[in-house]
Amino acid sequence: MLAEIITIGDEILIGQIIDSNSAFIGKELNKIGIDVHQISSVKDDKQHILDAIEEASNRVDVVLITGGLGPTKDDITKHTICEYFEDTLVENKDVLEHVEKLFAKYIATPISDVNKQQALVPSKSTVLMNLYGTAPGMWLEKENTVFISMPGVPYEMKGLMKDEVLPRLQKRFNRPYIIHKTILTYGMGESTVAEKIEDWENDLPSYIKLAYLPNLGRVRLRLSARGNDKKLLEDTIEKKVSALNLIIGDIIVGYEEDETIEMRIGQLLIKQGKTLSVAESCTGGKIAQSFTANAGASAYFNGGAVTYATQSKIDILGIDPEIIKKHTVTSIEVAEAMALAVKEKFKSDYAIATTGNAGPEKGDGDVEVGTVFIAIATPKGVFSEQYVFSNLRERTIGKAVNKSFELLLNTLL
Amino acid sequence: MLAEIITIGDEILIGQIIDSNSAFIGKELNKIGIDVHQISSVKDDKQHILDAIEEASNRVDVVLITGGLGPTKDDITKHTICEYFEDTLVENKDVLEHVEKLFAKYIATPISDVNKQQALVPSKSTVLMNLYGTAPGMWLEKENTVFISMPGVPYEMKGLMKDEVLPRLQKRFNRPYIIHKTILTYGMGESTVAEKIEDWENDLPSYIKLAYLPNLGRVRLRLSARGNDKKLLEDTIEKKVSALNLIIGDIIVGYEEDETIEMRIGQLLIKQGKTLSVAESCTGGKIAQSFTANAGASAYFNGGAVTYATQSKIDILGIDPEIIKKHTVTSIEVAEAMALAVKEKFKSDYAIATTGNAGPEKGDGDVEVGTVFIAIATPKGVFSEQYVFSNLRERTIGKAVNKSFELLLNTLL
């Protein structure tokens, strides 16, 4: 069984927004054994949309359409779908009630006529209630093909997929098994990992595929097994992962699809009853933000100081100006002093500190653009490393953040 | 003239990665008057790739292919392109030298045979030097269609587009004009904006299209004008923007495509010779990170305190425990005390403070999930607002960050 994703919106083709919806939909469909055959992006143009729907309906069993359901004039998906099904729009009372409730709760202005139109749906459609916004999802069928229309706003689409679309698809279809196993590694480049596991990789059976997913110094390995014998797939995956563990077990952080190194750090800190604080200069708050983005961070994350200006390192952390004068603000010595100071100020067991120059120009220190010093304070002392990451600001910040996680993780394992 | 983007990689179709490359390519092509006709994502499968290239070559003048150029076994794009052009791979000395230099500078391990293969290119191709990684770009032609292959790693592809692909395409083709104008607004929802400017929108000439691009409480309006008379397009856009300014000028922040509210805040602070600091609880470092993500932030951003744990608000900022006891840690009073304290500690002119509960569970305070208090300290005093944003953690954090920018911007304008 195949699915096709059609994303609608000029803003995708001219690149004003990134289509993150297709990735989410692809991932979720894959989990229930539905293959995404193609992803097509088309314009907010009636004929384009009609063509895309018609073509997709000839190729696949499920067509998932996102976008173009907003309340404004450039959103024409609903009217176009209505035309494709030779249908008319009717007001749905449940949707109208829901829209009115949303306005009462979150928006000061009274509900407008434009917003009331969100309650209009094709008469032949089954409404998929969108609890996260005003545009309802719609489920339609024609000649054994299922058509699902969802809003393009990512968190609304995600909610609809989980609440309505996936359960309904699961109920209706019965698919062969697909099992994915993701292995998150750290501290080693893609090609080095590839060389180390070459024999293991060559030895994979044909029904298991391996993919390398590198990102800012972290490499994820993804194994995908497909077949009808669920037990065989599970056993083989387990055996291969065990074998992999013997080869590169020292760089494997976790096996969960959405797991990150910072989540693993959080788990370890909670398990050990320890806490963390951070002092950030060039990373500018991104380390703190990475931890606090995860629910439950308050169990181990005491907080942090973003001491961006040199003076703030003195005022807030109490760094001795003489150390800065002697070694410059971007130095091993200042990084270590920052880590020790923030650990004490926030009364934490561990601390991370960063100072460096993310560019594009030379800063208060005198090191080359891309140079970052990372210090880790532990209950036993402090250590630090110097890196040269990149001449691109965003990448230097991203790599410094990931590298700081690796250093801390090493001390916790 | 039309272009088609083919993104290659199983990881896109099964949703392990988000295709951000197509958006970048679409945006850049659009600027030089090349329309993206379709975006197709295909698997790491030789026949799939061959089919996609063949189909695209029948439809468009330029086919841009990304992905599948890595050094590992699952990357088969180069071999497949070679087959399509009935060509053979030859070693390119410039590329080999470049790969060796990259390894010497950034990677401790010696260059491997796997990496040396990155220097192999089809003999008929023009090499597009990739200064940001080991996989070269390739330019090939067949029956008046241009084929461009680039690595899938976003920053490598972006560098190649800017350094090589766009200048070469501009040299070769001569296109009608497309002018985009983006208007960034703040503080008003999409549908309210749409109602306010309905007459203005209806009055747009047919060669100008309007799109609404909402994101976490900010709405961008994008005008796109297309035609052969450059002066007419420019004059009309200018006239329409002036007219728009009369209707919603009070919520317009800027007119640059990549401009953000935090960048506008930075410009205003620099112009006024003022500085900023932040005290973040529920936003966890994201406000600091948003400012420091932009080069030049050190001219106005003194730093911040991520006082995530309640105790850290007392220890680091010196908040009176009695205030916390009396009003709870998630309150107007604590938010204002945090803003005033961080302003003093970091010796800044302005300060932002946040405290609230992003969820998913009730925290140290006793407010409902999604409730956030934002305080702004100015040279004249302090003020604050209470919001209920969302029951989704990520959205509550994102909206709190954006709202804090709006509040600060209001005081600076």
Side-chain angles (χ1 to χ4, degrees):
Chain A
M1 197 181 70
L2 297 174
E4 197 156 324
I5 302 169
I6 300 173
T7 60
I8 294 172
D10 293 2
E11 62 272 26
I12 295 170
L13 291 161
I14 76 159
Q16 285 268 356
I17 65 161
I18 289 167
D19 170 26
S20 62
N21 287 347
S22 296
F24 179 85
I25 296 169
K27 188 188 275 184
E28 294 301 320
L29 291 180
N30 210 264
K31 283 180 193 162
I32 59 170
I34 299 177
D35 253 344
V36 174
H37 172 70
Q38 189 173 318
I39 303 169
S40 312
S41 296
V42 302
K43 298 199 172 189
D44 287 309
D45 175 282
K46 198 201 273 181
Q47 199 52 52
H48 267 214
I49 299 172
L50 288 173
D51 289 348
I53 294 176
E54 179 60 27
E55 283 168 21
S57 73
N58 293 329
R59 281 192 291 246
V60 298
D61 312 280
V62 183
V63 181
L64 297 107
I65 304 160
T66 68
L69 295 182
T72 51
K73 280 191 189 300
D74 57 330
D75 293 309
I76 59 167
T77 301
K78 196 159 64 181
H79 295 277
T80 308
I81 288 174
C82 216
E83 184 170 323
Y84 180 74
F85 284 92
E86 296 168 348
D87 200 359
T88 51
L89 292 172
V90 294
E91 187 173 281
N92 183 289
K93 276 183 189 168
D94 294 341
V95 176
L96 184 61
E97 199 178 296
H98 166 68
V99 171
E100 285 170 343
K101 265 191 199 157
L102 274 185
F103 264 72
K105 186 163 181 193
Y106 291 111
I107 300 166
T109 52
I111 183 167
S112 65
D113 285 348
V114 169
N115 288 102
K116 277 186 186 155
Q117 288 171 20
Q118 296 288 61
L120 297 177
V121 296
S123 73
K124 296 173 187 167
S125 70
T126 304
V127 164
L128 309 176
M129 278 301 284
N130 171 7
L131 302 177
Y132 314 91
T134 56
M138 293 166 277
W139 175 294
L140 289 132
E141 303 204 13
K142 195 175 182 178
E143 290 155 18
N144 281 326
T145 304
V146 173
F147 298 81
I148 297 157
S149 165
M150 294 179 284
V153 181
Y155 81 100
E156 296 184 21
M157 179 278 299
K158 286 178 188 173
L160 260 175
M161 281 290 289
K162 289 195 166 160
D163 296 347
E164 298 281 349
V165 176
L166 293 167
R168 282 170 191 266
L169 286 173
Q170 261 170 320
K171 230 185 230 171
R172 194 178 155 120
F173 300 102
N174 193 8
R175 305 300 311 147
Y177 295 105
I178 296 186
I179 297 173
H180 295 294
K181 188 80 186 175
T182 302
I183 299 119
L184 175 60
T185 73
Y186 77 108
M188 197 179 280
E190 179 184 6
S191 55
T192 315
V193 174
E195 281 192 69
K196 278 199 183 265
I197 65 173
E198 191 177 0
D199 291 344
W200 174 89
E201 184 176 349
N202 287 333
D203 200 37
L204 286 173
S206 62
Y207 56 87
I208 297 188
K209 285 193 86 176
L210 173 71
Y212 293 80
L213 310 167
N215 183 27
L216 289 172
R218 300 171 176 181
V219 179
R220 270 174 214 277
L221 305 173
R222 191 196 57 236
L223 289 168
S224 308
R226 177 189 298 236
N228 290 315
D229 185 344
K230 190 181 174 192
K231 182 139 182 9
L232 172 73
L233 299 184
E234 284 173 347
D235 289 351
T236 315
I237 286 271
E238 200 188 313
K239 227 179 281 170
K240 293 304 293 184
V241 170
S242 297
L244 187 69
N245 211 9
L246 291 177
I247 310 169
I248 54 163
D250 53 325
I251 60 159
I252 293 178
V253 183
Y255 299 95
E256 295 303 318
E257 186 189 337
D258 296 320
E259 198 163 21
T260 61
I261 294 185
E262 57 270 30
M263 283 160 71
R264 184 88 180 97
I265 288 172
Q267 291 159 7
L268 287 167
L269 287 170
I270 289 170
K271 200 173 152 194
Q272 297 171 17
K274 303 291 184 191
T275 55
L276 174 69
S277 64
V278 299
E280 301 185 64
S281 186
C282 63
T283 52
K286 201 171 170 68
I287 295 177
Q289 196 257 315
S290 301
F291 285 112
T292 59
N294 301 310
S298 55
Y300 63 88
F301 187 70
N302 287 4
V306 183
T307 50
Y308 205 63
T310 297
Q311 188 61 39
S312 73
K313 295 179 181 70
I314 298 164
D315 294 343
I316 306 300
L317 295 174
I319 306 300
D320 182 354
E322 286 304 312
I323 296 181
I324 297 174
K325 206 174 160 190
K326 190 171 169 195
H327 302 284
T328 84
V329 74
T330 46
S331 62
I332 285 285
E333 290 78 7
V334 170
E336 295 193 352
M338 286 169 67
L340 289 171
V342 81
K343 174 174 175 287
E344 199 192 314
K345 295 256 171 199
F346 280 84
K347 296 173 183 163
S348 64
D349 303 295
Y350 290 87
I352 299 173
T354 61
T355 182
N357 183 358
E361 281 159 24
K362 283 214 173 184
D364 286 354
D366 59 2
V367 294
E368 206 185 326
V369 168
T371 305
V372 179
F373 300 87
I374 302 174
I376 307 288
T378 74
K380 290 180 190 163
V382 66
F383 67 92
S384 54
E385 298 283 348
Q386 173 176 357
Y387 301 94
V388 181
F389 287 122
S390 164
N391 53 359
L392 296 170
R393 183 179 180 84
E394 193 188 334
R395 279 187 67 77
T396 291
I397 294 173
K399 285 199 161 190
V401 169
N402 283 356
K403 188 52 84 176
S404 77
F405 294 157
E406 288 178 20
L407 293 177
L408 177 58
L409 184 66
N410 263 338
T411 75
L412 293 173
L413 284 174
Chain B
M1 197 181 70
L2 297 174
E4 197 155 324
I5 302 169
I6 300 173
T7 60
I8 295 171
D10 292 3
E11 62 271 26
I12 296 170
L13 290 162
I14 77 159
Q16 285 266 356
I17 65 160
I18 289 167
D19 170 26
S20 62
N21 287 346
S22 296
F24 178 86
I25 296 170
K27 189 188 271 185
E28 295 301 320
L29 291 180
N30 211 264
K31 283 181 193 161
I32 60 170
I34 299 177
D35 254 345
V36 174
H37 173 71
Q38 190 172 317
I39 302 168
S40 312
S41 296
V42 303
K43 298 199 172 188
D44 288 310
D45 175 281
K46 198 201 274 182
Q47 198 52 52
H48 267 215
I49 298 172
L50 287 173
D51 289 347
I53 294 176
E54 179 61 25
E55 283 169 22
S57 73
N58 293 328
R59 281 192 291 247
V60 298
D61 312 280
V62 183
V63 181
L64 297 106
I65 304 161
T66 68
L69 295 182
T72 51
K73 280 193 189 300
D74 58 330
D75 292 309
I76 59 167
T77 301
K78 197 159 64 181
H79 296 278
T80 308
I81 287 175
C82 216
E83 183 170 325
Y84 180 74
F85 283 93
E86 296 169 347
D87 200 359
T88 51
L89 291 173
V90 294
E91 187 173 280
N92 183 288
K93 276 183 188 168
D94 293 340
V95 175
L96 184 61
E97 199 177 297
H98 167 69
V99 171
E100 286 170 342
K101 265 192 201 156
L102 273 185
F103 264 73
K105 186 164 181 192
Y106 292 111
I107 300 166
T109 52
I111 182 167
S112 65
D113 285 349
V114 169
N115 287 103
K116 277 187 185 155
Q117 287 170 22
Q118 296 289 60
L120 297 177
V121 296
S123 73
K124 295 175 188 167
S125 70
T126 305
V127 164
L128 309 177
M129 277 301 283
N130 171 6
L131 302 178
Y132 315 91
T134 56
M138 292 166 279
W139 175 294
L140 289 133
E141 302 204 13
K142 195 175 183 179
E143 292 157 17
N144 281 326
T145 304
V146 173
F147 298 80
I148 297 158
S149 166
M150 294 178 285
V153 182
Y155 80 100
E156 297 184 19
M157 178 279 299
K158 286 179 188 174
L160 260 175
M161 282 289 290
K162 289 197 166 158
D163 296 347
E164 297 283 348
V165 176
L166 293 167
R168 281 169 192 267
L169 286 173
Q170 261 169 321
K171 233 186 227 171
R172 195 180 153 118
F173 300 104
N174 193 9
R175 304 300 311 147
Y177 295 105
I178 297 186
I179 297 173
H180 295 295
K181 187 82 185 175
T182 302
I183 299 121
L184 175 61
T185 72
Y186 77 109
M188 198 179 278
E190 180 184 7
S191 56
T192 315
V193 173
E195 281 191 70
K196 277 199 183 263
I197 66 173
E198 191 177 1
D199 291 343
W200 174 88
E201 184 176 350
N202 287 333
D203 201 37
L204 286 172
S206 62
Y207 56 87
I208 298 188
K209 284 194 85 176
L210 173 71
Y212 293 79
L213 310 168
N215 183 27
L216 290 173
R218 301 171 176 181
V219 179
R220 270 174 215 275
L221 305 173
R222 192 196 55 236
L223 290 168
S224 307
R226 177 189 296 236
N228 290 314
D229 186 345
K230 192 182 174 192
K231 184 144 183 1
L232 172 74
L233 299 183
E234 284 175 347
D235 288 352
T236 315
I237 286 270
E238 201 188 314
K239 227 179 280 171
K240 292 306 293 183
V241 169
S242 296
L244 187 69
N245 210 10
L246 291 177
I247 309 168
I248 54 163
D250 54 325
I251 60 159
I252 292 177
V253 183
Y255 300 95
E256 296 303 318
E257 186 188 337
D258 296 320
E259 198 163 22
T260 61
I261 294 185
E262 57 270 30
M263 284 161 71
R264 185 87 180 98
I265 288 172
Q267 292 158 7
L268 287 166
L269 286 170
I270 290 170
K271 200 173 151 194
Q272 297 172 17
K274 303 292 184 191
T275 55
L276 174 68
S277 64
V278 301
E280 301 185 64
S281 186
C282 61
T283 52
K286 201 171 170 68
I287 295 177
Q289 197 257 316
S290 301
F291 285 112
T292 58
N294 301 310
S298 54
Y300 64 89
F301 187 69
N302 287 5
V306 183
T307 50
Y308 204 63
T310 297
Q311 189 61 37
S312 72
K313 294 179 181 71
I314 299 164
D315 293 344
I316 306 300
L317 295 175
I319 306 299
D320 182 353
E322 286 305 312
I323 296 182
I324 297 174
K325 204 173 162 191
K326 191 170 169 195
H327 302 285
T328 84
V329 73
T330 46
S331 62
I332 285 284
E333 290 78 5
V334 169
E336 295 193 351
M338 286 170 67
L340 289 171
V342 80
K343 174 173 175 287
E344 199 193 313
K345 295 255 172 202
F346 280 83
K347 296 174 182 162
S348 64
D349 303 295
Y350 290 87
I352 299 172
T354 62
T355 182
N357 183 358
E361 282 159 25
K362 283 213 174 184
D364 286 352
D366 59 1
V367 293
E368 206 185 326
V369 168
T371 305
V372 179
F373 301 87
I374 303 174
I376 307 288
T378 73
K380 290 179 189 163
V382 66
F383 68 92
S384 56
E385 298 283 348
Q386 173 176 356
Y387 301 94
V388 180
F389 287 123
S390 165
N391 51 0
L392 296 170
R393 183 177 179 86
E394 193 188 335
R395 280 187 65 77
T396 291
I397 293 173
K399 285 198 160 189
V401 170
N402 283 354
K403 187 52 84 175
S404 78
F405 294 157
E406 288 177 19
L407 292 177
L408 177 58
L409 183 66
N410 263 337
T411 75
L412 294 172
L413 286 173

